[in-house]
mmCIF file of all heavy atoms in Angstrom:
data_model
loop_
_atom_site.group_PDB
_atom_site.id
_atom_site.type_symbol
_atom_site.label_atom_id
_atom_site.label_comp_id
_atom_site.label_asym_id
_atom_site.label_seq_id
_atom_site.Cartn_x
_atom_site.Cartn_y
_atom_site.Cartn_z
ATOM 1 N N THR A 77 3.553 6.717 16.638
ATOM 2 C CA THR A 77 3.373 6.528 18.074
ATOM 3 C C THR A 77 1.846 6.717 18.392
ATOM 4 O O THR A 77 1.102 7.233 17.657
ATOM 5 C CB THR A 77 4.119 7.525 18.904
ATOM 6 O OG1 THR A 77 3.714 8.864 18.585
ATOM 7 C CG2 THR A 77 5.624 7.402 18.723
ATOM 8 N N LYS A 78 1.537 6.059 19.545
ATOM 9 C CA LYS A 78 0.240 6.184 20.142
ATOM 10 C C LYS A 78 0.403 6.051 21.629
ATOM 11 O O LYS A 78 1.053 5.124 22.073
ATOM 12 C CB LYS A 78 -0.762 5.178 19.635
ATOM 13 C CG LYS A 78 -2.210 5.295 20.259
ATOM 14 C CD LYS A 78 -3.203 4.357 19.577
ATOM 15 C CE LYS A 78 -4.567 4.602 20.198
ATOM 16 N NZ LYS A 78 -5.566 3.744 19.532
ATOM 17 N N PRO A 79 -0.057 7.126 22.448
ATOM 18 C CA PRO A 79 0.243 7.080 23.848
ATOM 19 C C PRO A 79 -0.268 5.844 24.617
ATOM 20 O O PRO A 79 0.394 5.333 25.526
ATOM 21 C CB PRO A 79 -0.485 8.307 24.345
ATOM 22 C CG PRO A 79 -0.702 9.177 23.107
ATOM 23 C CD PRO A 79 -0.868 8.241 22.053
ATOM 24 N N SER A 80 -1.438 5.319 24.248
ATOM 25 C CA SER A 80 -2.099 4.222 25.004
ATOM 26 C C SER A 80 -2.730 3.175 23.960
ATOM 27 O O SER A 80 -3.623 3.533 23.265
ATOM 28 C CB SER A 80 -3.147 4.792 25.931
ATOM 29 O OG SER A 80 -3.775 3.788 26.570
ATOM 30 N N ALA A 81 -2.099 2.030 23.977
ATOM 31 C CA ALA A 81 -2.598 0.989 23.014
ATOM 32 C C ALA A 81 -3.912 0.469 23.410
ATOM 33 O O ALA A 81 -4.242 0.289 24.647
ATOM 34 C CB ALA A 81 -1.585 -0.155 22.969
ATOM 35 N N HIS A 82 -4.697 0.149 22.417
ATOM 36 C CA HIS A 82 -6.017 -0.501 22.648
ATOM 37 C C HIS A 82 -5.952 -1.822 21.848
ATOM 38 O O HIS A 82 -5.243 -2.034 20.945
ATOM 39 C CB HIS A 82 -7.152 0.363 22.073
ATOM 40 C CG HIS A 82 -8.508 0.041 22.495
ATOM 41 N ND1 HIS A 82 -9.246 -0.896 21.805
ATOM 42 C CD2 HIS A 82 -9.285 0.360 23.549
ATOM 43 C CE1 HIS A 82 -10.452 -1.093 22.349
ATOM 44 N NE2 HIS A 82 -10.437 -0.258 23.435
ATOM 45 N N MET A 83 -6.802 -2.754 22.363
ATOM 46 C CA MET A 83 -6.890 -4.043 21.703
ATOM 47 C C MET A 83 -7.136 -3.952 20.251
ATOM 48 O O MET A 83 -6.637 -4.747 19.436
ATOM 49 C CB MET A 83 -7.916 -4.933 22.469
ATOM 50 C CG MET A 83 -7.595 -5.294 23.886
ATOM 51 S SD MET A 83 -6.044 -6.283 24.057
ATOM 52 C CE MET A 83 -6.611 -7.803 23.382
ATOM 53 N N SER A 84 -7.973 -3.018 19.928
ATOM 54 C CA SER A 84 -8.373 -2.840 18.489
ATOM 55 C C SER A 84 -7.240 -2.311 17.611
ATOM 56 O O SER A 84 -7.368 -2.249 16.347
ATOM 57 C CB SER A 84 -9.586 -1.966 18.359
ATOM 58 O OG SER A 84 -9.235 -0.585 18.824
ATOM 59 N N ASP A 85 -6.107 -1.887 18.214
ATOM 60 C CA ASP A 85 -4.903 -1.493 17.459
ATOM 61 C C ASP A 85 -4.185 -2.639 16.802
ATOM 62 O O ASP A 85 -3.226 -2.426 16.055
ATOM 63 C CB ASP A 85 -4.044 -0.536 18.287
ATOM 64 C CG ASP A 85 -4.685 0.685 18.704
ATOM 65 O OD1 ASP A 85 -5.510 1.240 17.922
ATOM 66 O OD2 ASP A 85 -4.444 1.172 19.792
ATOM 67 N N ALA A 86 -4.486 -3.806 17.305
ATOM 68 C CA ALA A 86 -3.758 -4.982 16.779
ATOM 69 C C ALA A 86 -3.898 -5.128 15.229
ATOM 70 O O ALA A 86 -5.045 -5.329 14.787
ATOM 71 C CB ALA A 86 -4.129 -6.285 17.475
ATOM 72 N N ALA A 87 -2.882 -4.991 14.531
ATOM 73 C CA ALA A 87 -2.920 -4.965 13.073
ATOM 74 C C ALA A 87 -1.551 -5.028 12.451
ATOM 75 O O ALA A 87 -0.581 -5.013 13.310
ATOM 76 C CB ALA A 87 -3.740 -3.775 12.526
ATOM 77 N N GLU A 88 -1.426 -4.936 11.237
ATOM 78 C CA GLU A 88 -0.065 -4.768 10.578
ATOM 79 C C GLU A 88 -0.038 -3.310 10.035
ATOM 80 O O GLU A 88 -0.997 -2.789 9.466
ATOM 81 C CB GLU A 88 0.127 -5.713 9.429
ATOM 82 C CG GLU A 88 1.543 -5.707 8.879
ATOM 83 C CD GLU A 88 2.052 -7.021 8.324
ATOM 84 O OE1 GLU A 88 1.106 -7.832 7.883
ATOM 85 O OE2 GLU A 88 3.238 -7.238 8.207
ATOM 86 N N TYR A 89 1.120 -2.712 10.266
ATOM 87 C CA TYR A 89 1.375 -1.284 9.956
ATOM 88 C C TYR A 89 2.438 -1.177 8.897
ATOM 89 O O TYR A 89 3.508 -1.793 9.017
ATOM 90 C CB TYR A 89 1.686 -0.478 11.196
ATOM 91 C CG TYR A 89 0.527 -0.387 12.136
ATOM 92 C CD1 TYR A 89 0.226 -1.493 12.976
ATOM 93 C CD2 TYR A 89 -0.295 0.735 12.191
ATOM 94 C CE1 TYR A 89 -0.831 -1.425 13.911
ATOM 95 C CE2 TYR A 89 -1.394 0.778 13.068
ATOM 96 C CZ TYR A 89 -1.669 -0.203 13.883
ATOM 97 O OH TYR A 89 -2.778 -0.232 14.732
ATOM 98 N N PHE A 90 2.211 -0.371 7.924
ATOM 99 C CA PHE A 90 3.114 -0.193 6.780
ATOM 100 C C PHE A 90 3.458 1.306 6.711
ATOM 101 O O PHE A 90 2.628 2.156 6.624
ATOM 102 C CB PHE A 90 2.574 -0.626 5.464
ATOM 103 C CG PHE A 90 2.388 -2.126 5.346
ATOM 104 C CD1 PHE A 90 1.151 -2.692 5.667
ATOM 105 C CD2 PHE A 90 3.470 -2.914 5.002
ATOM 106 C CE1 PHE A 90 0.977 -4.076 5.574
ATOM 107 C CE2 PHE A 90 3.294 -4.306 4.865
ATOM 108 C CZ PHE A 90 2.028 -4.871 5.180
ATOM 109 N N CYS A 91 4.788 1.510 6.630
ATOM 110 C CA CYS A 91 5.274 2.916 6.350
ATOM 111 C C CYS A 91 5.580 2.898 4.844
ATOM 112 O O CYS A 91 6.012 1.934 4.234
ATOM 113 C CB CYS A 91 6.564 3.157 7.114
ATOM 114 S SG CYS A 91 7.333 4.795 6.869
ATOM 115 N N ALA A 92 5.334 4.053 4.216
ATOM 116 C CA ALA A 92 5.506 4.137 2.734
ATOM 117 C C ALA A 92 5.986 5.543 2.377
ATOM 118 O O ALA A 92 5.737 6.531 3.127
ATOM 119 C CB ALA A 92 4.235 3.808 1.978
ATOM 120 N N ALA A 93 6.688 5.636 1.275
ATOM 121 C CA ALA A 93 7.124 6.898 0.745
ATOM 122 C C ALA A 93 6.867 7.028 -0.710
ATOM 123 O O ALA A 93 6.966 6.006 -1.448
ATOM 124 C CB ALA A 93 8.636 7.087 1.011
ATOM 125 N N THR A 94 6.530 8.142 -1.195
ATOM 126 C CA THR A 94 6.308 8.366 -2.589
ATOM 127 C C THR A 94 7.606 8.924 -3.217
ATOM 128 O O THR A 94 8.394 9.595 -2.561
ATOM 129 C CB THR A 94 5.181 9.301 -2.907
ATOM 130 O OG1 THR A 94 4.900 9.304 -4.278
ATOM 131 C CG2 THR A 94 5.466 10.720 -2.509
ATOM 132 N N ASN A 95 7.886 8.493 -4.448
ATOM 133 C CA ASN A 95 9.088 8.987 -5.094
ATOM 134 C C ASN A 95 8.816 10.397 -5.707
ATOM 135 O O ASN A 95 7.639 10.909 -5.737
ATOM 136 C CB ASN A 95 9.516 8.002 -6.182
ATOM 137 C CG ASN A 95 8.539 7.933 -7.334
ATOM 138 O OD1 ASN A 95 7.331 8.190 -7.165
ATOM 139 N ND2 ASN A 95 8.978 7.482 -8.475
ATOM 140 N N THR A 96 9.814 11.059 -6.168
ATOM 141 C CA THR A 96 9.648 12.377 -6.627
ATOM 142 C C THR A 96 8.724 12.599 -7.799
ATOM 143 O O THR A 96 8.163 13.623 -8.017
ATOM 144 C CB THR A 96 11.006 13.007 -6.966
ATOM 145 O OG1 THR A 96 11.721 12.172 -7.801
ATOM 146 C CG2 THR A 96 11.915 13.183 -5.669
ATOM 147 N N GLY A 97 8.598 11.580 -8.627
ATOM 148 C CA GLY A 97 7.732 11.673 -9.755
ATOM 149 C C GLY A 97 6.316 11.230 -9.434
ATOM 150 O O GLY A 97 5.432 11.274 -10.318
ATOM 151 N N PHE A 98 6.068 10.838 -8.209
ATOM 152 C CA PHE A 98 4.775 10.399 -7.789
ATOM 153 C C PHE A 98 4.237 9.155 -8.547
ATOM 154 O O PHE A 98 3.038 8.913 -8.667
ATOM 155 C CB PHE A 98 3.729 11.482 -7.826
ATOM 156 C CG PHE A 98 4.170 12.769 -7.121
ATOM 157 C CD1 PHE A 98 4.448 13.866 -7.881
ATOM 158 C CD2 PHE A 98 4.333 12.758 -5.767
ATOM 159 C CE1 PHE A 98 4.827 15.038 -7.204
ATOM 160 C CE2 PHE A 98 4.775 13.892 -5.111
ATOM 161 C CZ PHE A 98 5.032 15.074 -5.852
ATOM 162 N N GLN A 99 5.099 8.331 -9.135
ATOM 163 C CA GLN A 99 4.668 7.182 -9.896
ATOM 164 C C GLN A 99 4.380 6.053 -8.936
ATOM 165 O O GLN A 99 3.706 5.096 -9.320
ATOM 166 C CB GLN A 99 5.637 6.797 -10.959
ATOM 167 C CG GLN A 99 5.874 7.727 -12.088
ATOM 168 C CD GLN A 99 7.142 8.463 -11.883
ATOM 169 O OE1 GLN A 99 7.650 8.601 -10.813
ATOM 170 N NE2 GLN A 99 7.604 9.002 -12.970
ATOM 171 N N LYS A 100 4.919 6.011 -7.786
ATOM 172 C CA LYS A 100 4.763 4.869 -6.967
ATOM 173 C C LYS A 100 4.901 5.174 -5.459
ATOM 174 O O LYS A 100 5.480 6.177 -5.138
ATOM 175 C CB LYS A 100 5.872 3.823 -7.309
ATOM 176 C CG LYS A 100 7.256 4.268 -6.971
ATOM 177 C CD LYS A 100 8.387 3.400 -7.653
ATOM 178 C CE LYS A 100 8.294 1.987 -7.221
ATOM 179 N NZ LYS A 100 9.367 1.207 -7.799
ATOM 180 N N LEU A 101 4.402 4.286 -4.714
ATOM 181 C CA LEU A 101 4.625 4.239 -3.266
ATOM 182 C C LEU A 101 5.657 3.140 -2.988
ATOM 183 O O LEU A 101 5.429 2.021 -3.474
ATOM 184 C CB LEU A 101 3.385 4.024 -2.460
ATOM 185 C CG LEU A 101 2.416 5.203 -2.237
ATOM 186 C CD1 LEU A 101 1.214 4.739 -1.433
ATOM 187 C CD2 LEU A 101 3.072 6.395 -1.597
#
Side-chain angles (χ1 to χ4, degrees):
Chain A
T77 60
K78 182 174 181 177
S80 177
H82 192 273
M83 296 294 291
S84 61
D85 294 327
E88 188 153 23
Y89 293 79
F90 292 93
C91 182
T94 189
N95 65 338
T96 51
F98 307 114
Q99 293 103 338
K100 66 193 302 184
L101 283 180

